[in-house]
Amino acid sequence: MATSRARRVLGYLESGKNLAGSACGVAGLGLTLAGVAGAYWPLVIAGLYGAGALIAPPERVAPPPFDPSEEVDALRADFARLGEYLGEVELPATAGARWAGLLELYGALLEPGWVAEVLATEPEAVHALSRAIRRDVPECVDTYNRTRWWNRLTPGGESPERHLERQLDLLYEEAESVTADLREAEARRQQTHTAYLEERGRS
């Protein structure tokens, strides 16, 4: 505890507030030596020190260093768990091709390598993929299984299989949109680097 207190004291001594207050206190000492402060010189010096400490800007606290690749790693682990979950539930054979295409696209985006590195630099793409893998796909499957059970008791209306197929189509379109956005982001980076090299060559 003593070490922590000493660290706080040392931190304050090195802070901008103490430096600003000390500078104002030195100015008060100058006024005292010039005979301006008179008999109230201790109050003048203390007041100027306090004023300097108050008007000094607050200390800037550096934000914690977040690593975007850690979120992609966590998402990759969740995608693996999603695959295990899908292997245990009963899914309609009619949607087999849609499932295969969707999971293949997710896997390609999350596969370790330069694509995943590009993904890590695009927070919106990571959010969209995270939402699909962690919420949308499990909810589609769970809703299909529950609806199918009710449909056995009261058949009629549009089949649960058809609803699931439409949901998978929408998720695939969203994944394709994410892929297109990443491709455009990488193209912009290439164009920026080309412009930089051209500018450097001219200078």
Side-chain angles (χ1 to χ4, degrees):
M1 184 177 293
T3 303
S4 177
R5 188 180 298 112
R7 190 180 297 113
R8 286 198 298 270
V9 171
L10 183 60
Y12 178 76
L13 291 176
E14 296 175 346
S15 69
K17 287 186 174 295
N18 181 54
L19 295 176
S22 297
C24 291
V26 169
L29 183 60
L31 293 175
T32 300
L33 294 176
V36 177
Y40 299 101
W41 65 268
L43 295 177
V44 171
I45 293 175
L48 287 174
Y49 175 86
L54 286 174
I55 65 174
E59 294 294 318
R60 178 182 176 273
V61 180
F66 291 114
D67 185 0
S69 62
E70 292 180 357
E71 174 63 18
V72 175
D73 291 339
L75 188 54
R76 189 179 295 121
D78 288 342
F79 177 64
R81 283 195 289 271
L82 176 64
E84 295 173 0
Y85 165 69
L86 294 176
E88 295 176 357
V89 296
E90 185 179 349
L91 297 171
T94 55
R98 289 178 172 85
W99 277 118
L102 181 62
L103 297 179
E104 183 179 359
L105 190 49
Y106 288 160
L109 290 170
L110 291 170
E111 184 178 357
W114 68 269
V115 175
E117 292 173 3
V118 174
L119 174 65
T121 64
E122 299 294 326
E124 291 184 5
V126 173
H127 174 71
L129 202 58
S130 172
R131 181 182 56 202
I133 291 173
R134 292 170 173 161
R135 189 187 69 186
D136 293 339
V137 171
E139 189 171 321
C140 287
V141 174
D142 187 55
T143 302
Y144 161 74
N145 281 308
R146 287 186 286 113
T147 306
R148 186 182 58 163
W149 185 87
W150 285 109
N151 198 59
R152 288 173 179 170
L153 298 179
T154 55
E158 194 168 12
S159 69
E161 288 78 10
R162 179 57 187 149
H163 277 290
L164 179 63
E165 291 168 7
R166 286 167 54 189
Q167 292 167 3
L168 293 179
D169 287 342
L170 292 171
L171 288 172
Y172 190 85
E173 290 175 7
E174 182 184 50
E176 283 187 320
S177 177
V178 169
T179 304
D181 291 343
L182 293 178
R183 185 168 53 244
E184 291 178 7
E186 190 64 11
R188 286 195 300 270
R189 289 190 186 91
Q190 186 181 36
Q191 292 168 1
T192 300
H193 191 61
T194 300
Y196 160 73
L197 292 176
E198 290 173 347
E199 183 65 26
R200 191 175 71 179
R202 285 192 292 268
S203 60

